Amino acid sequence: MKNFLKLFLLLFPLLLLTSCFDILDKVNVKADGTGEYTIILNASKSKTRLASISKMETINGKKVPKKSEIENKINEAARIFKATPGISNVKTSMDFDNYIIKLSCNFKKIENINAGLEQLKAKNILGKMIPTQIYSQNLQKKLLTRNKVNTFKEDYDKMGKADKEIFNNARYTSVMQFENTVKSQTNSAYLLAPNKKAVKLEADILDLIFQKKQLQNTILFQ
């Protein structure tokens, strides 16, 4: 399950020590298939607790990472993304007062994000079990797909009670914005914006683990 979190948390280990954090996963896709990818990790609701934990060596038998270690991991992920063909303008920001971390980049095609994740896996930043083929797009057929990923329920079931508690209030939001107008989508859990140029899914991470909500969605454009 720690590896599952790495997909969303981009190696922000302190978030593993609190159950109150939000993840925003955002994609903005233009008509020609280019676009921008952003992930924001927000643990500001737990900043007082995290500030206290950051001064400790260990907690619940786990080593507490130092600020420099977190910065190094985030910067390493950014360097790998920068070296991925099709990805450019990689930016990171780290607010350790409020515990908010952001990584963003531009892509020539959305599959470049998949390639970047593959490179993170090749460098052992992501676990081997992490899915990387998250997005696909067919411009000719006017389709964009968010592919199905594993639930990792079996991994969750094997965790101890204390480790499971980190997911209790964790939230995940996916926002996909488009230059083209959406004609239809296969997952009604994604709310369609009034202008039909964006879809949004909000879920507890536990709902994703137990498949009460699904991430996969195929969007057809007009």
Side-chain angles (χ1 to χ4, degrees):
M1 181 58 68
K2 183 168 68 174
N3 286 338
F4 163 69
L5 282 178
K6 285 181 181 178
L7 176 63
F8 297 109
L9 304 184
L10 284 178
L11 301 171
F12 186 21
L14 279 181
L15 293 189
L16 298 176
L17 305 176
T18 177
S19 62
C20 196
F21 60 88
D22 298 314
I23 302 163
L24 172 61
D25 189 11
K26 184 177 178 181
V27 176
N28 192 324
V29 185
K30 296 182 180 180
D32 61 0
T34 64
E36 182 178 5
Y37 174 75
T38 303
I39 186 165
I40 300 174
L41 321 170
N42 187 340
S44 59
K45 295 175 183 177
S46 300
K47 66 180 182 179
T48 301
R49 171 175 165 77
L50 289 172
S52 298
I53 291 173
S54 66
K55 299 175 183 178
M56 303 168 63
E57 293 294 330
T58 62
I59 183 171
N60 297 331
K62 297 181 177 67
K63 181 180 180 296
V64 176
K66 302 301 181 183
K67 176 182 175 181
S68 59
E69 294 175 312
I70 297 171
E71 289 177 331
N72 288 339
K73 286 295 184 181
I74 297 297
N75 289 332
E76 184 180 0
R79 285 193 297 269
I80 291 171
F81 259 71
K82 287 178 182 178
T84 302
I87 290 179
S88 61
N89 197 30
V90 178
K91 297 178 180 179
T92 61
S93 64
M94 291 169 266
D95 178 352
F96 286 103
D97 291 325
N98 295 296
Y99 293 93
I100 300 173
I101 288 181
K102 177 180 177 180
L103 183 148
S104 65
C105 66
N106 294 106
F107 55 81
K108 289 185 176 180
K109 59 181 182 179
I110 201 165
E111 289 86 355
N112 297 145
I113 300 301
N114 301 340
L117 294 174
E118 284 282 3
Q119 289 300 312
L120 292 180
K121 181 182 286 189
K123 301 295 184 180
N124 296 318
I125 293 179
L126 292 181
K128 293 181 180 179
M129 64 189 295
I130 296 302
T132 56
Q133 300 306 306
I134 299 175
Y135 300 104
S136 59
Q137 186 169 26
N138 188 317
L139 293 177
Q140 288 71 35
K141 294 183 178 181
K142 300 182 179 180
L143 290 173
L144 184 145
T145 300
R146 174 147 192 174
N147 300 318
K148 183 176 181 179
V149 299
N150 294 331
T151 67
F152 298 95
K153 182 180 180 301
E154 291 184 4
D155 299 84
Y156 176 83
D157 289 340
K158 295 175 183 177
M159 296 174 69
K161 181 180 178 180
D163 289 334
K164 287 181 179 180
E165 287 179 354
I166 65 176
F167 300 101
N168 287 348
N169 297 305
R171 296 278 297 171
Y172 173 77
T173 301
S174 172
V175 176
M176 291 187 280
Q177 297 175 311
F178 315 108
E179 197 169 62
N180 293 332
T181 302
V182 175
K183 182 178 181 180
S184 65
Q185 61 175 334
T186 59
N187 189 342
S188 59
Y190 283 82
L191 298 178
L192 181 63
N195 66 0
K196 296 186 178 181
K197 291 190 175 183
V199 296
K200 179 180 181 180
L201 173 72
E202 294 182 291
D204 294 333
I205 288 181
L206 283 177
D207 284 344
L208 300 177
I209 292 174
F210 290 105
Q211 292 190 303
K212 293 180 180 179
K213 286 190 176 181
Q214 305 287 343
L215 288 175
Q216 62 263 32
N217 195 9
T218 298
I219 296 165
L220 175 66
F221 300 99
Q222 291 183 1

